[in-house]
Amino acid sequence: ADYVYFNHSVHVAKGVGYVLTAAHCVSSSMPPIEVRQGNAFMSPARAYSVLSYKAHPAYGGGDPRYDVGMIRVAGVDASTPTLDIGSTTSVTNGMQVMSVGYGITGPNDNTIRYNILKNLNAVDPSLVSYSLSGGGICSGDSGGPMLTPGGQVVIAVHSSVDNATSSSCSGNGYSVRVSAHYDSFIKPF
């Protein structure tokens, strides 16, 4: 699963940071133990140990509208890269977004971070989606950020796709809007 730091919740003096991800990436059956930073998952520039984590309590039944989780990590300092959370950023149908992740890109496993620009084809209060025709999110991209085109503001967290095989994804990709859960879940954590 992919994770993203957000800057107004980093406590540099204490060495603690907060990471936004998907709820299904922080399950008690497979708890996160490390958050990696860098362009290559297998050769991270840095790694942070997990102090605590929490999935959105309403996700329990797998409802994609609540597929958002949080992780508290140790080892953060002033050089830790961060992104803003777009809790009030306007999101519209047809808007261009950037998706980032380490998900599969073909028949072989992928460990390199990629990004792609896509246009949203559906927007509702909890979820956004785009067509996977020509590329997009796939298995392994869960929890990664959907960003504004400039790549500086997180507007959603990758959750799921319509159809996934061991080497490709098709249909639509779905991401959970941070604005839907910022005040009730993200900020309180």
Side-chain angles (χ1 to χ4, degrees):
D2 293 328
Y3 309 102
V4 61
Y5 286 96
F6 54 99
N7 72 4
H8 58 282
S9 293
V10 172
H11 299 290
V12 174
K14 296 179 181 178
V16 174
Y18 293 88
V19 181
L20 178 63
T21 190
H24 72 266
C25 293
V26 293
S27 71
S28 57
S29 63
M30 197 168 91
I33 56 171
E34 182 178 76
V35 173
R36 295 178 177 192
Q37 168 197 324
N39 289 324
F41 181 79
M42 297 307 288
S43 302
R46 288 179 67 179
Y48 306 91
S49 59
V50 173
L51 298 171
S52 64
Y53 62 92
K54 184 175 183 178
H56 193 293
Y59 181 69
D63 187 335
R65 296 173 301 159
Y66 300 97
D67 192 5
V68 63
M70 294 294 300
I71 302 172
R72 188 168 63 102
V73 297
V76 171
D77 63 29
S79 69
T80 302
T82 60
L83 294 169
D84 286 327
I85 294 290
S87 60
T88 60
T89 301
S90 175
V91 178
T92 59
N93 195 20
M95 174 181 175
Q96 187 179 61
V97 296
M98 177 188 291
S99 288
V100 180
Y102 298 96
I104 62 172
T105 58
N108 300 316
D109 286 339
N110 176 51
T111 61
I112 304 300
R113 182 174 61 190
Y114 286 100
N115 67 70
I116 189 168
L117 293 174
K118 300 293 285 191
N119 288 56
L120 296 177
N121 64 10
V123 174
D124 76 26
S126 299
L127 292 171
V128 295
S129 69
Y130 58 70
S131 170
L132 297 177
S133 177
I137 61 173
C138 200
S139 301
D141 287 323
S142 296
M146 177 180 282
L147 307 168
T148 53
Q152 298 302 310
V153 178
V154 180
I155 57 172
V157 176
H158 303 318
S159 173
S160 60
V161 298
D162 285 329
N163 304 297
T165 69
S166 60
S167 62
S168 68
C169 292
S170 61
N172 285 310
Y174 301 92
S175 299
V176 180
R177 294 183 64 180
V178 295
S179 61
H181 306 291
Y182 184 77
D183 289 329
S184 63
F185 176 72
I186 296 169
K187 187 176 178 182
F189 184 88

